[in-house]
Amino acid sequence: AEKQSPLCLFQFHQDGFLVLENFFSAEECDSMRNQIGSIVAEMEVPPHCRTEFSTKEQEQLQAQGSSDYFLTSGDKIRFFFEKGVLDDRGNFLIPKEKSVSKIGHALHAYDPVFKQITHSAKVQELGRKLGLERPVVVQSMYIFKSPKLRLVAVTPHQDATFLHTEPLGRILGFWIALEDATRDNGCLWFIPGSHTGGISRRMIRAASGSSTCVEFVGSEPAYDDSQFIPLPINKGGLILIHGEVVHKSELNSSEFSRHAFTFHVMEAKDTSWSKENWLQPTPELPFPSLYT
C-alpha cells in the first residue's frame, strides 16, 4: 500500500477510478473465497424463493416477499440467485454454489473474515490518504459472476443512483478482485472522467402499497459504447470507484468465475444520507466507522 502517491490520487480525481494492483495478498483473497464457500454450504433457500407459482395472488405475495427480503438485507447476510436456477418448488437445478449471484449486504459487519478485510490497516490508510475524515461503511457484497450461465451483463450505471447523498461525491466503492478479472470473464469497464456531471437517475423506495419495492426517477442516458475502457485486474487488485463514475461489466463468456468482494464507504462529515435510498441504517446496524 506504499504506492498511493499524490500522482495516483490526482489520477483518481481525474478519471473517477483508480486501479491498485496487488493491494491484497493471494492468502487474503483465498480466505474470502473459502469463507464464502462455507457460507454457501450452510445456506438455506429463503421461503419466498420456494413458493410454487399457481395463482396471481401467490405471485404477488412472492414478489412482495422478494422485495421485503431485498429491502431488509442491509443489516443481514442474504442470498440473491441467478434467474432460472431454482425449480418451482425452490430446489436447485444446478450446484448451489453456481446458483448464487451475490451475497449482501452486511458481510462487513457480521462476518469475521470480511469485517477484517474491510477494516484492514491498508484500507484505513488508503481512506486517510484520500482525505476521508469520517468514513462509514454502508454496504458490502460478494459477487460471483459464474461462468457460462448466460448471465445478464451489468448495464452502465452510477453507484450514486442507488446510494444517494446530499451533497453528491461522498460515496466511494472498493472493488476487490478475488480472481483475475479479464475481458473474457466480465471485468469492469469505465468511462474516464464521467464522474463530474452529476447523476441522471435515482432508485428510491416506492410508496407503501406500490406493486414494486423500488422505483426509478429520471432515466439513464444512452452511453456511447466507444467511450468505455476495460479495466482487467489481477487477483488481489483493488479498484476504487467514485460514486458518480459510469461503469459496467459484460457477460462472463469464459470457463472461469470472476469472484469479487465490494463495499461502499460514505464520507459522513457534513453529508446527509437520503431517506429514500433502498438501504437504510437500522438500530441493529448503524453504519459502522471505517476507522477502528
Side-chain angles (χ1 to χ4, degrees):
E2 293 69 54
K3 300 196 262 315
Q4 287 86 58
S5 62
L7 190 65
C8 278
L9 298 182
F10 171 76
Q11 198 71 47
F12 173 69
H13 292 299
Q14 191 171 333
D15 291 337
F17 58 83
L18 181 63
V19 176
L20 298 170
E21 288 279 12
N22 305 313
F23 193 84
F24 289 97
S25 67
E27 293 73 35
E28 287 170 312
C29 293
D30 294 344
S31 74
M32 289 187 264
R33 288 203 61 187
N34 293 335
Q35 186 70 351
I36 218 73
S38 318
I39 289 173
V40 169
E42 292 167 23
M43 164 180 83
E44 292 294 326
V45 178
H48 73 269
C49 295
R50 291 196 175 279
T51 321
E52 291 181 56
F53 289 126
S54 52
T55 66
K56 261 284 179 266
E57 194 178 336
Q58 269 178 310
E59 278 185 47
Q60 284 165 348
L61 286 171
Q62 169 123 8
Q64 191 54 50
S66 301
S67 63
D68 291 345
Y69 186 78
F70 168 70
L71 282 180
T72 57
S73 65
D75 61 354
K76 299 179 190 66
I77 295 175
R78 288 194 161 166
F79 304 94
F80 301 90
F81 299 95
E82 297 294 354
K83 288 198 169 39
V85 299
L86 297 165
D87 66 16
D88 57 10
R89 291 163 188 263
N91 299 316
F92 290 106
L93 297 166
I94 60 172
K96 68 179 187 177
E97 61 279 3
K98 290 205 172 78
S99 68
V100 185
S101 143
K102 60 186 190 188
I103 297 179
H105 288 90
L107 285 162
H108 63 280
Y110 295 128
D111 181 89
V113 172
F114 291 99
K115 185 175 191 172
Q116 200 278 316
I117 293 285
T118 303
H119 297 279
S120 55
K122 48 197 164 193
V123 168
Q124 295 193 39
E125 184 193 347
L126 180 53
R128 293 199 164 91
K129 288 200 167 128
L130 288 160
L132 300 177
E133 291 185 54
R134 281 185 38 218
V136 295
V137 186
V138 298
Q139 66 111 20
S140 55
M141 270 189 300
Y142 191 104
I143 303 166
F144 290 80
K145 200 97 177 174
S146 297
K148 293 294 188 203
L149 274 182
R150 293 190 300 285
L151 307 182
V152 290
V154 177
T155 53
H157 68 283
Q158 299 166 291
D159 291 343
T161 284
F162 307 95
L163 308 171
H164 191 268
T165 60
E166 299 274 337
L168 285 171
R170 300 303 170 87
I171 291 289
L172 180 62
F174 289 71
W175 192 97
I176 304 158
L178 304 185
E179 302 177 279
D180 294 350
T182 65
R183 288 183 68 151
D184 291 333
N185 75 357
C187 70
L188 299 180
W189 295 65
F190 287 79
I191 301 181
S194 57
H195 60 302
T196 57
I199 58 170
S200 57
R201 191 172 68 128
R202 284 183 60 188
M203 183 174 96
I204 64 171
R205 286 181 170 240
S208 58
S210 304
S211 56
T212 55
C213 63
V214 293
E215 57 196 19
F216 284 96
V217 179
S219 58
E220 205 63 77
Y223 295 109
D224 174 358
D225 270 353
S226 66
Q227 291 190 294
F228 284 91
I229 61 163
L231 290 192
I233 187 165
N234 294 311
K235 174 177 174 174
L238 168 70
I239 302 179
L240 277 181
I241 304 176
H242 187 287
E244 283 96 80
V245 75
V246 178
H247 58 291
K248 66 175 182 176
S249 70
E250 299 294 344
L251 298 178
N252 180 353
S253 56
S254 78
E255 302 291 331
F256 303 100
S257 55
R258 191 224 66 187
H259 287 205
F261 175 58
T262 169
F263 59 92
H264 282 90
V265 164
M266 171 177 73
E267 167 63 271
K269 184 173 191 272
D270 302 327
T271 307
S272 66
W273 178 257
S274 172
K275 293 270 187 286
E276 295 184 308
N277 284 336
W278 73 267
L279 174 77
Q280 293 297 327
T282 62
E284 294 73 38
L285 183 61
F287 295 149
S289 169
L290 180 68
Y291 301 148
T292 49

